[in-house]
Amino acid sequence: MPYSTLHRFAVQELAFGRKAATVPVADGEPGHELQVDTGWVLSLEPDDAGVRRRKKAFVFTPNVSRYRFVYPIERETTAEAIAACEAAWAFYGGVFRVMVIDNMKAVVARADRLEPQIIEGFREYAQARGFFVDATRVRRPKDKPRVERSVRDVRDDCFAGERLQDLDAARARALRWCRDEYGMRRHGTTGRMPREHFSHVEAPELLPLSGEPYDVPRWSTPKIARDHFGQVERALYSLPTRLIGRTLDARADRSLVRFYDRGRLVKVCEKLPPGGRHIDPEDYPQHQRAYAMRDIEYLQKTADELGPSIGAMTRRLLSQPLPWTSMRNVYALLPLARRYGAERVDATCVTALAHDMLSMHRLRRMLESAVAESKPEPARALPPGRFLRPTQHFALPSTPTTTGEPS
């Protein structure tokens, strides 16, 4: 069989060499889906060092009306992504139910065609605003075709030839272009002006937007040091002893700091400015809590429970204008009750207070002397004699008396 015949058969019967047929995907319901893309779109004017800075922008495109919104950013971070979304909701006057976005690192932590992992901060934001994040597959531009070529159009139509000094000027230019130029230009696919199309069809279907600005959280992973402190945004927060050496997840917002251990909430603290310290006495061990917090009342209460004279001695020690300077003497007094007994120490404190003696070293010597005098001297056993013999050894044998003739 000649090759031409085989080729003609393959083309006619097997569609050899032809591209596969495609089908257009429906736009969906109005106000439901919003496709998002990012890309390099502008260069600012040279700064003081003569350097021109390239900037990216978020480009939002609704599926139905194609009413585009552009928001230039400083860097592609999670905080900038949230700020761009907030600006988009303010521009549209509501929230779309689904956001289709590619696998940018500011939003997607791990790409997967079935179960992509969204960054914690952006997932919280999506839950707060009530929309769903639909991450596309890797290197699949057809998953968001309504916005795929918008980066080139924004670069050439919106920012080409503009002399912009900073991001504020770039954002103002983008807003004018979206609203007055692109929004009032008849779209080639829909045949309608995007701004008018959006106002009549999609705007009534959007989710309502709350008036309060979103408080962007900041996540960090502090390690709990030996002093019970974890550092978040240059402020220190105490945590329980059992967490020392562990690395936790910390979420800081405008008012609170939350600590998580493997996803479980373990501590909630009020947000402090840089340099602040939050100390919770319950985080410290019981036997070290009073010393760490300089709790004079706790020491006095403990001494009163041991005996009235011990409590009086403690009260005398802590009666100074700076009582915490005498805490070491109190910490030296309390263990004496455990060593020598509370009754003995209480009786010795009576003598010490009568003579206005507040030295803990002398009080300890008094207790040691009293203990030594109270012990009876053990009876000393005489050592055995070197030449000691039993009495039988020194007894003389008796001579029996005989009767009969003399010898």
Side-chain angles (χ1 to χ4, degrees), residues 76-90:
E76 194 172 312
T77 62
T78 303
E80 291 281 358
I82 294 176
C85 292
E86 287 289 281
W89 308 144

Side-chain angles (χ1 to χ4, degrees), residues 37-64:
D37 198 5
T38 59
W40 301 100
V41 296
L42 76 151
S43 295
L44 299 179
E45 288 297 299
D47 55 12
D48 296 337
V51 178
R52 297 180 64 91
R53 294 164 295 164
R54 297 178 63 201
K55 298 299 178 182
K56 283 187 174 182
F58 275 80
V59 182
F60 300 82
T61 303
N63 275 17
V64 177

Side-chain angles (χ1 to χ4, degrees), residues 329-340:
N329 291 326
V330 179
Y331 275 105
L333 172 62
L334 298 181
L336 295 178
R338 294 192 298 267
R339 182 175 181 180
Y340 298 103

Side-chain angles (χ1 to χ4, degrees), residues 278-299:
H278 177 275
I279 299 177
D280 186 0
E282 298 297 329
D283 294 333
Y284 297 149
Q286 181 68 30
H287 63 282
Q288 297 179 349
R289 190 175 303 168
Y291 180 78
M293 302 305 298
R294 296 183 176 182
D295 192 350
I296 306 300
E297 296 180 358
Y298 175 81
L299 293 178

Side-chain angles (χ1 to χ4, degrees), residues 113-177:
R113 61 186 300 270
L114 298 178
E115 298 179 356
Q117 181 179 352
I118 308 300
I119 289 179
E120 182 70 23
F122 198 86
R123 183 169 68 246
E124 286 188 1
Y125 170 71
Q127 293 173 352
R129 291 305 187 204
F131 67 90
F132 177 76
V133 180
D134 184 12
T136 63
R137 296 171 295 176
V138 179
R139 292 186 293 275
R140 291 295 187 272
K142 293 182 179 180
D143 287 352
K144 49 180 180 59
R146 275 72 175 175
V147 76
E148 192 61 35
R149 291 189 178 183
S150 60
V151 173
R152 182 193 62 184
D153 298 338
V154 170
R155 182 186 65 239
D156 297 339
D157 193 11
C158 178
F159 295 110
E162 298 290 332
R163 300 175 62 89
L164 304 172
Q165 299 294 334
D166 51 23
L167 276 179
D168 292 336
R171 289 168 183 170
R173 165 58 188 163
L175 183 60
R176 290 194 306 271
W177 179 81

